[in-house]
Amino acid sequence: MPLDQSFVGRSWPPTEPYLVGREKIREFARAIGATDAEYHDPEAAKALGYADVVAPPTFPVVITMSASRQIVEDPALGLDYSRVVHGDQKFAYARPVVAGDALVCVNSVDDITSRGGHDFLTTRTEVTTTEGEAVVTVWSKLVQRGAE
């Protein structure tokens, strides 16, 4: 069954704030092999003009993957997550994520298409501070493989 096209253009309410912690940034950096000092050492980050350790560019996936449950867990969409593979990810930054940020996400569905028996779902997540300052926009493409 194809995904429900009426979801295109739909947005969800902002998520609860996520407080970005210094240790979460360090853990993420270690997990991806990012050894740059600004990801681990507050003094190195401050020397580069940041208030605290700065997150690697792909760190927002920690927040946005959880936030996207608003979309993927909606039964009306028709997504069978057992058949989903990750197709693409894109980030457009207004500014870096830094330890101490309190971030909220607003999720939207940008596109749903079907090709070759597979459904493609493109989501957009606007990540802002709790004060409304733009931080990063994250697009994610999920592919629901066709039934076998």
Side-chain angles (χ1 to χ4, degrees), residues 7 12-15 66-74 105-107:
F7 273 69
W12 282 257
T15 60
S66 177
S68 70
R69 287 188 186 124
Q70 292 177 314
I71 300 170
V72 300
E73 291 181 354
D74 188 325
C105 298
V106 173
N107 291 300

Side-chain angles (χ1 to χ4, degrees), residues 52-139:
D52 205 322
V53 294
V54 62
T58 55
F59 179 84
V61 91
V62 170
I63 307 163
T64 60
M65 284 293 292
S66 177
S68 70
R69 287 188 186 124
Q70 292 177 314
I71 300 170
V72 300
E73 291 181 354
D74 188 325
L77 175 60
L79 186 70
D80 177 355
Y81 208 73
S82 71
R83 296 185 358 237
V84 169
V85 294
H86 188 259
D88 192 24
Q89 193 84 39
K90 183 169 69 169
F91 302 85
Y93 274 89
R95 70 158 178 83
V97 173
V98 177
D101 281 342
L103 304 176
V104 295
C105 298
V106 173
N107 291 300
S108 301
V109 173
D110 275 3
D111 192 37
I112 296 174
T113 58
S114 295
R115 293 188 306 272
H118 307 294
D119 293 318
F120 297 80
L121 170 68
T122 302
T123 63
R124 176 176 30 91
T125 305
E126 300 290 344
V127 181
T128 65
T129 64
T130 52
E131 294 80 29
E133 176 190 5
V135 176
V136 61
T137 302
V138 180
W139 291 269

